[in-house]
């Protein structure tokens, strides 16, 4: 009898253990603060924030060194999107998610693979913001990115330039910010020149990407197409791409379809299935550090 009771208890314990999901990995220590420079810092200006949001590949959490991450002036919307490896447009929640920005510094346990950073950020958002989400899918009218009838005209990406070892982290960030500002200045100059030449390019937008896959290109095209885009090119390389569009109907050749055609690709209308992350609960104010 004792044997039977012991066996039953052991089976119940094993069953309960099997039903308990493993704990998510966590940062060793983390600081979460409202962004002090939410209006003037990188990503504070709406246009800059939108550019950075569109340039950031889904799920990528930058590390300042192998043992630490620092996310400055990230909207809560972008933090959730990064944690769950989706684009911001795939997060469904309150409108104010894009209005609140935070600075996060966290220490990563030694030997942690980068693949665990997303789960760590999930844990942090759950702990500090009370975040609760669930995943869902939606079928929407969108586009498939495919190879055109004459084949791709994509330029292979060049190797990334080596980091200057003589720069400090702050100097490196300042240099990156300068590059962004230079790019914006060049775009504004181009718009001014077009106005002076009598070519009003309403809704002008230009994006240069030094290295990306066609899957990443499909994600970037979503904001131009204003609809989901899935990659069905079958191409596996990395490419250097320039996309230039404008929304002035009086100027021909400025649609996203024209820009894609110049790359030897095509956007075909399709019903596409899009994964979404639905925010069920979240606080505007994080708990104290």
């Amino acid at each position: 009898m004792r044997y039977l009771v012991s066996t039953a208890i052991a089976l119940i314990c094993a069953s309960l253990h099997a039903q308990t999901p493993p704990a998510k990995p966590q940062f060793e220590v983390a600081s979460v603060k409202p962004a002090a420079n939410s209006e003037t810092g990188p990503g504070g200006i709406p246009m800059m924030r939108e550019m950075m949001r569109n340039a950031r590949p889904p799920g990528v959490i930058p590390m300042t060194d192998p043992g630490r991450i620092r996310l400055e002036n990230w909207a809560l919307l972008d933090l959730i999107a990064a944690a769950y490896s989706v684009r911001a447009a795939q997060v469904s929640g309150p409108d104010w998610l894009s209005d609140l920005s935070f600075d996060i510094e966290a220490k990563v346990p030694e030997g942690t693979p980068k693949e665990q950073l997303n789960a760590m950020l999930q844990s942090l958002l759950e702990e500090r913001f009370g975040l609760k989400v669930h995943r869902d899918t939606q079928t929407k009218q969108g586009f498939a990115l495919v190879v055109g009838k004459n084949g791709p005209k994509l330029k292979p990406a060049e190797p990334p330039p080596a980091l200057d070892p003589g720069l400090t982290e702050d100097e490196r960030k300042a240099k990156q910010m300068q590059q962004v500002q230079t790019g914006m200045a060049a775009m504004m100059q181009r718009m001014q020149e077009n106005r002076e030449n009598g070519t009003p390019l309403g809704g002008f937008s230009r994006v240069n990407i030094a290295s990306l896959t066609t899957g990443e290109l499909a994600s970037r095209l979503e904001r131009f197409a204003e609809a989901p885009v899935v990659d069905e090119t079958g191409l596996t390389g990395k490419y250097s791409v320039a996309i230039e569009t404008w929304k002035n109907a009086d100027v021909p050749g400025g649609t996203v379809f024209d820009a894609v055609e110049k790359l030897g690709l095509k956007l075909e209308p399709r019903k596409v299935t899009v994964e979404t992350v639905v925010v069920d609960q979240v606080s505007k104010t994080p708990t104290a550090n």
Side-chain angles (χ1 to χ4, degrees):
M1 179 63 72
R2 289 180 179 176
Y3 172 77
L4 292 175
V5 171
S6 300
T7 302
I9 292 173
L11 289 172
I12 291 172
C13 291
S15 176
L16 291 173
H17 179 73
Q19 294 174 15
T20 303
K24 288 182 181 177
Q26 296 184 332
F27 296 115
E28 281 189 13
V29 63
S31 168
V32 181
K33 298 178 181 179
N37 57 347
S38 59
E39 295 299 326
T40 58
I45 302 171
M47 185 177 180
M48 291 280 288
R49 172 167 289 173
E50 189 68 18
M51 288 177 63
M52 295 174 72
R53 178 174 291 154
N54 291 323
R56 191 180 296 129
V60 172
I61 301 172
M63 298 184 71
T64 54
D65 61 55
R68 187 165 60 97
I69 69 166
R70 178 189 291 174
L71 309 178
E72 292 187 331
N73 205 1
W74 278 47
L76 187 52
L77 173 67
D78 296 316
L79 291 170
I80 296 171
Y84 290 91
S85 299
V86 297
R87 301 197 72 81
Q90 294 170 258
V91 177
S92 175
D95 291 340
W96 50 260
L97 289 177
S98 60
D99 298 332
L100 300 180
S101 299
F102 298 89
D103 295 335
I104 292 180
E105 278 199 68
K107 190 173 188 300
V108 181
E110 186 176 353
T112 299
K114 286 186 177 181
E115 292 74 20
Q116 288 190 8
L117 291 179
N118 304 86
M120 288 182 175
L121 185 54
Q122 291 176 26
S123 296
L124 183 64
L125 296 176
E126 290 168 4
E127 176 187 347
R128 305 298 295 278
F129 291 89
L131 178 67
K132 293 182 180 179
V133 305
H134 70 271
R135 291 186 184 269
D136 200 357
T137 56
Q138 295 179 350
T139 300
K140 297 182 177 181
Q141 183 61 48
F143 298 94
L145 181 66
V146 300
V147 175
K149 63 180 181 180
N150 295 322
K153 302 174 184 176
L154 294 165
K155 179 182 176 183
E158 300 196 1
L163 292 176
D164 188 339
L167 296 180
T168 66
E169 179 187 334
D170 288 340
E171 289 171 337
R172 210 172 276 129
K173 286 171 59 179
K175 185 176 181 180
Q176 291 172 346
M177 187 62 184
Q178 181 62 43
Q179 291 172 342
V180 172
Q181 292 173 340
T182 300
M184 287 188 65
M187 183 177 70
M188 297 300 290
Q189 177 66 26
R190 174 71 180 276
M191 293 173 67
Q192 179 63 31
E193 290 173 356
N194 284 317
R195 279 194 294 266
E196 292 173 355
N197 294 334
T199 308
L201 301 185
F204 177 80
S205 181
R206 179 179 175 85
V207 176
N208 289 294
I209 308 105
S211 177
L212 84 173
T213 65
T214 50
E216 292 167 343
L217 174 60
S219 294
R220 298 290 185 93
L221 290 172
E222 290 185 358
R223 77 180 179 97
F224 296 97
E226 298 180 349
V229 179
V230 295
D231 175 30
E232 294 187 6
T233 62
L235 302 174
T236 58
K238 288 202 170 188
Y239 307 95
S240 176
V241 173
I243 303 168
E244 187 174 286
T245 67
W246 51 89
K247 294 183 179 179
N248 190 328
D250 296 330
V251 183
T255 70
V256 64
F257 304 98
D258 297 316
V260 169
E261 186 177 344
K262 292 174 184 177
L263 303 175
L265 306 176
K266 184 180 179 182
L267 285 174
E268 292 185 346
R270 296 273 180 89
K271 288 284 188 180
V272 298
T273 300
V274 180
E275 180 185 14
T276 60
V277 172
V278 181
V279 176
D280 300 310
Q281 176 182 307
V282 66
S283 173
K284 290 185 177 181
T285 306
T287 55
N289 292 316

